[in-house]
Amino acid sequence: MALSLVRAGRPVATVFDLLGEDENDMSAALGYALSQSPALTRAVIRDVSEGWEPAPALVESHGIIALQSAHRGHGITDVEISLGKDFHGVIEAKRGAHLPTLAQLQQYAPLLTESLAVRRVLLTLTDVAPTRAAASSLPSALDGVRIMHRTWRQIRTLAHEARANEGHAAKRVLDQFAGYLGAILGMETHFSNLVYVVSLASGFGPGWGISWQDVVRKERRYFYPVGKGWPEPPNYIAFRYDSCLQSIHHVERHSVYTNHRSVFPEAPDAEVPPHYCLVLGPAIIPPHELRNGPRIVRAARCWCMLDTLLTASTISEALEETQRRMEA
């Protein structure tokens, strides 16, 4: 007998879907996943401990994952990771494109300053792009406590990577956690008006029988590596070459492959690291020539709101207006 679980009219695909979708629910899901997967906990700690020598010892037998801990004078923390005297981290989690305020960070920093741990990190976890977080006015440290910024998508990637180092039970938790985050993040992407603007090279790749530009123009496809500084598939993507924006496309759907030939008959038949293949909708042509401008150089990639690309005089101007709105 096959049975499906439905809650308030919505299917429950994973145990995490018994939670809601606000930031407290997402924090609880993260805490549970961390507690069930030492590999994910190690991955998160190593990620935010980059540059520290020696690396944290990560002795799981002394580890505690705490949710909604109340500290007199310091408020209530979303998630805390404690590894004795080796590591103490506080995660301030938010859903959406909003960074915490300096006042919020100043509330939690003294808590970590008082900690006996050698390595202390205050991690902000949001949907804000890392480049925007780095350019924000928030400090990189407070009272000797390192402040780091990560996205939920980066956490989801770490969960995927941690899977290879876990047993069956933890693998199942990580799969469900990644699926839970993916559903939330996918819903946000679906309604996003942000356009990922990329540079499209001319010519052919080694062994290819179709040019990079014709992959987009004739095949209405585009591909790029999974991870390695590239985002998950966006809702919109735009292509620039010859110093101008050429077209904007809605991303109809996407898939992941490990051999270019499996998607493109003109490609070499060879295994490659995982790549996304985007299937593109009809081209939206800018109503006027939109040159790069001073901030868009070489193969730089950026995010711009759709309407700014249709009304600005340059891509640089569209980028600046997008950043102004997101920082308002």
Side-chain angles (χ1 to χ4, degrees):
M1 179 185 296
L3 297 173
S4 300
L5 178 62
V6 177
R7 181 185 184 191
R10 298 182 60 183
V12 178
T14 76
V15 67
F16 294 99
D17 293 302
L18 292 170
L19 299 167
E21 297 174 350
D22 66 23
E23 58 196 39
N24 288 331
D25 300 321
M26 294 173 75
S27 297
L30 172 61
Y32 182 76
L34 291 169
S35 72
Q36 298 300 300
S37 172
L40 177 60
T41 302
R42 284 194 297 268
V44 171
I45 292 175
R46 284 174 177 152
D47 183 54
V48 300
S49 300
E50 183 180 355
W52 263 327
E53 294 295 342
L58 309 185
V59 181
E60 287 85 11
S61 60
H62 298 98
I64 297 174
I65 309 297
L67 298 174
Q68 297 290 305
S69 298
H71 299 273
R72 179 175 293 181
H74 303 304
I76 300 175
T77 57
D78 290 334
V79 182
E80 288 186 55
I81 305 174
S82 299
L83 295 180
K85 294 184 178 181
D86 193 64
F87 180 89
H88 188 178
V90 170
I91 300 176
E92 170 63 11
K94 291 190 175 297
R95 178 178 176 178
H98 300 284
L99 290 167
T101 64
L102 178 59
Q104 287 178 298
L105 300 184
Q106 288 173 327
Q107 185 177 26
Y108 298 127
L111 169 65
L112 289 167
T113 301
E114 297 166 7
S115 172
L116 297 178
V118 176
R119 298 169 181 82
R120 296 159 293 172
V121 175
L122 177 50
L123 173 64
T124 65
L125 184 55
T126 74
D127 290 335
V128 176
T131 51
R132 184 192 154 202
S136 71
S137 58
L138 295 178
S140 59
L142 273 175
D143 300 327
V145 174
R146 174 184 285 196
I147 297 176
M148 304 290 287
H149 304 280
R150 292 294 184 268
T151 67
W152 285 104
R153 284 181 170 80
Q154 288 173 304
I155 294 297
R156 183 169 175 248
T157 297
L158 291 177
H160 281 307
E161 294 172 351
R163 191 181 186 281
N165 299 311
E166 287 290 11
H168 293 299
K171 275 184 169 70
R172 183 175 179 83
V173 170
L174 291 172
D175 288 344
Q176 294 197 345
F177 176 59
Y180 167 76
L181 288 184
I184 294 174
L185 297 172
M187 180 172 59
E188 292 174 348
T189 298
H190 180 71
F191 292 104
S192 173
N193 73 336
L194 285 173
V195 182
Y196 195 51
V197 183
V198 303
S199 173
L200 197 56
S202 60
F204 297 74
W208 281 72
I210 186 172
S211 71
W212 303 132
Q213 293 179 7
D214 280 345
V215 167
V216 172
R217 291 183 303 204
K218 296 182 179 180
E219 300 290 334
R220 290 237 299 256
R221 299 287 192 275
Y222 184 67
F223 62 93
Y224 59 79
V226 175
K228 298 183 179 180
W230 289 83
E232 293 197 12
N235 201 26
Y236 290 96
I237 190 166
F239 302 98
R240 62 179 184 85
Y241 53 88
D242 295 338
S243 300
C244 291
L245 188 74
Q246 301 292 334
S247 63
I248 305 167
H249 302 258
H250 179 253
V251 176
E252 303 290 343
R253 61 186 183 275
H254 71 273
S255 60
V256 177
Y257 67 84
T258 56
N259 187 320
H260 291 309
R261 177 71 65 83
S262 67
V263 178
F264 304 102
E266 308 90 343
D269 184 8
E271 291 297 309
V272 295
H275 276 63
Y276 287 119
C277 177
L278 311 185
V279 178
L280 310 177
I284 303 170
I285 306 301
H288 56 270
E289 183 180 78
L290 198 68
R291 301 193 69 79
N292 290 340
R295 293 190 58 183
I296 307 299
V297 297
R298 298 185 179 88
R301 308 188 296 267
C302 68
W303 292 94
C304 294
M305 292 182 178
L306 178 59
D307 67 298
T308 67
L309 291 173
L310 300 176
T311 58
S313 59
T314 65
I315 302 175
S316 293
E317 183 181 302
L319 173 59
E320 289 169 358
E321 174 59 16
T322 298
Q323 293 176 335
R324 184 193 68 79
R325 293 181 191 177
M326 295 183 71
E327 292 169 2

